[in-house]
Amino acid sequence: MSSGNLGKCFDAGAFGEKIALIEPAKPAGQRETSYIELDREADAVARGLIKKGLVAGDSVGLIGQNSREFLSAYFGVMRAGMIAVPMSFKLAQRVIDHIFQDSEIKAAFVQADFAGMVPEGVQAFSLHRDDGFETLLDHGPFETFEPQGRELAMILYTSGSTGLPKGVLLSHASQRWSIDHVAKAGDDKQHHRYIVAAPMFHMNATISAKSALAVGASVVLLPTFDALEYAKAIGDHRVTWLTSVPTMLAMVARESERLGNIDLSSVTNVTMGSAPLTQALIDKVQAMFPASVINNSYGTTEGGPSPFGPHPDGVPRPALSLGYPLSGVETKLLESDEPNQGVFYVRSPMVMEGYRNLSEKTGEVLQDGWYRSGDLMRRDDDGFYYFLGRADDMFNVGGENVWPGEVEKLIEMMDGVHQASVVPAPHELKGQAPFAFVVLREGANLTEDDIKAFTIANGPAFSHPRNVRFVDSIPLAGTNKPDRKLLIERAARELS
């Protein structure tokens, strides 16, 4: 397979009739798709788009839940030399309109439920097989577009906490480098079964699906994430490799009593990334999947999906570590008086080309190929990196800096606590102070004073939560991460 096109990231000639996709939740029953079928359908999409008058360089939107049709369209768009723009169907219409305008989207694949989101004047193609998708397909041989240099493959829009999201420009070369240096590293992975339930408008899902297909594995593809359905799919299809956002597995862990006789013993690898990870969650996940090796992964849309890996000298990787920088990846920690702690900067072939139509914003985070992540990290004596929190999330409490992630880790160490999310809230004397939302385990009987006393006794007193609210669950944003913006608003509202 010689093509550098991201849409051609898997080798159908090598894997042939092997099952590429398993979709358990189809209305008509389970559906399986072979590598050959997926490859031919992606080519048919590319031919169909060209037949409709689109040309290389045009942007094509994708709005829908995870499905074979979504992946065929996604790969087909890129094979035709066009730019794929997956977007969240949970966004407000004004934000969707902004993305269409900002990316100059000429056509869009859309699930019927969300058809009204496509602005007038934009060609719309259905993602439903029996309702228009097949009429676009133009079957036959297709010569995949060969990108030159750093030509764009896709634009992913970041879920900014304020204002409109920024379009991250990602090249074929950047994403192929990640697949070749991360997914294909190590032992043969063809025997594995991955599960993907995170949304395809998020880097975690897109790189997971592409990486699994690139190594000839099979992907159990769920339309959306549901904790119980996720667990059932693992048991029913003997899934071996989980890639997820930590919050997703926290929700599965909470459902453990309802899992009943579901057999989760097939899981040998668990990779969690895209959000902070705590030792408490690692312990819960290890208990659910006792035969698994758990890896704390790190990546950003702008800087690349996975700049870290194993230590080159074979030094064992500590549980909470993100790993050691990959060969070909340069890293540094800046904006701190401490040499081994600071804001994480990275330079590698995986880094974005910039933000769409935002040259000033691009210049703020990207200089001489170095991307400023905005993530605070530390580095140990062996060169392993650890995530401490978002530098932007840090807030000041009476002159002291508090990182929410550190307070969350502390609270989650308590017996009876399942999950915690800490945000800044107004405080009469300190200006701001931590406000904790806490999910208890079944049967736990903790009080607000218990949480406060534990954090004062086991951490800096200034960082203890001045207010604690017990909730049934932590609200999630569209990327399955805690919705910090919503929690900050709720905390302020409760104190007003």
Side-chain angles (χ1 to χ4, degrees):
M1 182 178 59
S2 59
S3 175
N5 189 298
L6 187 60
K8 199 80 170 174
C9 62
F10 60 90
D11 190 348
F15 307 130
E17 296 298 335
K18 182 178 179 181
I19 298 302
L21 304 177
I22 301 168
E23 295 170 275
K26 301 302 292 180
Q30 178 175 305
R31 176 172 63 169
E32 296 182 348
T33 304
S34 71
Y35 273 88
I36 284 289
E37 288 175 312
L38 185 61
D39 182 65
R40 289 173 177 167
E41 192 159 277
D43 278 351
V45 168
R47 287 170 55 105
L49 289 172
I50 292 170
K51 198 171 183 179
K52 290 288 186 181
L54 287 111
V55 298
D58 283 346
S59 294
V60 179
L62 297 111
I63 308 175
Q65 297 175 338
N66 299 345
S67 67
R68 163 182 167 171
E69 289 76 19
F70 191 105
L71 280 177
S72 294
Y74 174 62
F75 290 132
V77 167
M78 294 186 292
R79 289 185 182 194
M82 298 163 197
I83 302 165
V85 189
M87 64 191 85
S88 171
F89 45 80
K90 297 180 180 180
L91 294 172
Q93 187 61 47
R94 67 175 185 85
V95 180
I96 292 285
D97 291 343
H98 162 73
I99 292 174
F100 270 86
Q101 184 176 9
D102 189 55
S103 287
E104 299 179 55
I105 291 172
K106 301 289 175 61
F109 288 90
V110 61
Q111 191 173 318
D113 310 21
F114 316 118
M117 290 183 166
V118 179
E120 289 186 18
V122 176
Q123 290 189 77
F125 309 126
S126 174
L127 280 172
H128 286 265
R129 182 159 298 276
D130 56 357
D131 185 31
F133 182 75
E134 287 195 323
T135 62
L136 169 78
L137 302 180
D138 183 22
H139 292 279
F142 183 73
E143 187 172 337
T144 298
F145 176 87
E146 198 60 43
Q148 303 300 312
R150 304 278 294 187
E151 282 193 70
L152 293 186
M154 62 177 173
I155 304 174
L156 290 182
Y157 277 80
T158 59
S159 52
S161 58
T162 59
L164 294 168
K166 300 182 290 291
V168 181
L169 306 175
L170 298 170
S171 67
H172 292 271
S174 70
Q175 301 295 288
R176 289 300 296 263
W177 194 94
S178 171
I179 291 169
D180 292 341
H181 288 76
V182 180
K184 294 182 179 179
D187 299 333
D188 183 5
K189 300 181 178 69
Q190 289 188 48
H191 66 284
H192 278 293
R193 282 193 168 184
Y194 290 67
I195 186 167
V196 174
M200 285 294 166
F201 54 81
H202 187 252
M203 174 70 83
N204 186 292
T206 57
I207 197 65
S208 294
K210 292 193 293 284
S211 296
L213 294 172
V215 298
S218 298
V219 176
V220 177
L221 188 66
L222 301 183
T224 57
F225 175 74
D226 174 88
L228 200 54
E229 292 302 318
Y230 186 87
K232 287 179 181 176
I234 292 170
D236 290 347
H237 300 284
R238 308 300 294 155
V239 169
T240 61
W241 201 305
L242 312 184
T243 59
S244 68
V245 176
T247 322
M248 293 166 62
L249 290 189
M251 294 171 72
V252 174
R254 195 171 182 228
E255 293 285 348
S256 57
E257 292 186 1
R258 294 175 56 201
L259 299 183
N261 296 321
I262 296 176
D263 182 0
L264 304 176
S265 63
S266 59
V267 178
T268 58
N269 296 77
V270 178
T271 300
M272 291 184 281
S274 304
L277 184 60
T278 65
Q279 185 63 51
L281 180 57
I282 288 178
D283 293 343
K284 291 172 191 172
V285 172
Q286 193 72 73
M288 279 195 298
F289 310 110
S292 68
V293 174
I294 299 174
N295 278 321
N296 184 14
S297 180
Y298 170 83
T300 61
T301 308
E302 292 94 334
S306 188
F308 299 111
H311 197 285
D313 298 329
V315 178
R317 176 174 167 176
L320 283 173
S321 168
L322 304 171
Y324 190 93
L326 293 170
S327 176
V329 175
E330 299 174 85
T331 61
K332 56 187 179 182
L333 299 174
L334 300 176
E335 303 176 38
S336 171
D337 294 333
E338 300 178 46
N340 288 313
Q341 182 169 310
V343 174
F344 179 65
Y345 284 69
V346 62
R347 182 166 65 179
S348 83
M350 293 186 290
V351 170
M352 69 170 178
E353 308 310 303
Y355 292 122
R356 176 83 172 185
N357 297 326
L358 293 171
S359 57
E360 188 174 328
K361 288 286 185 186
T362 299
E364 291 174 6
V365 300
L366 195 61
Q367 293 186 8
D368 192 27
W370 285 97
Y371 168 64
R372 179 192 185 276
S373 70
D375 292 323
L376 189 72
M377 295 192 188
R378 70 174 178 87
R379 180 176 49 221
D380 69 15
D381 293 340
D382 291 316
F384 287 111
Y385 279 71
Y386 300 77
F387 180 83
L388 299 179
R390 287 286 299 167
D392 295 343
D393 287 345
M394 184 271 291
F395 54 96
N396 192 279
V397 179
E400 300 284 355
N401 291 337
V402 172
W403 282 273
E406 295 302 294
V407 187
E408 291 163 3
K409 290 177 187 176
L410 186 60
I411 296 172
E412 290 183 9
M413 289 171 58
M414 292 185 70
D415 288 336
V417 171
H418 172 68
Q419 193 178 5
S421 190
V422 174
V423 296
H427 190 275
E428 186 176 0
L429 297 178
K430 302 292 185 181
Q432 286 181 311
F435 190 115
F437 293 91
V438 177
V439 180
L440 296 178
R441 293 186 186 181
E442 193 76 29
N445 191 29
L446 294 173
T447 67
E448 180 174 355
D449 287 340
D450 292 334
I451 305 290
K452 291 179 180 179
F454 182 87
T455 53
I456 290 172
N458 294 280
F462 63 80
S463 70
H464 85 276
R466 305 321 194 261
N467 293 275
V468 178
R469 294 292 183 273
F470 295 106
V471 294
D472 293 334
S473 62
I474 301 295
L476 303 182
T479 53
N480 289 324
K481 300 179 189 178
D483 193 334
R484 289 181 52 80
K485 182 173 182 288
L486 185 67
L487 290 175
I488 290 171
E489 291 172 352
R490 177 173 170 182
R493 191 167 56 248
E494 292 204 15
L495 295 176
S496 62

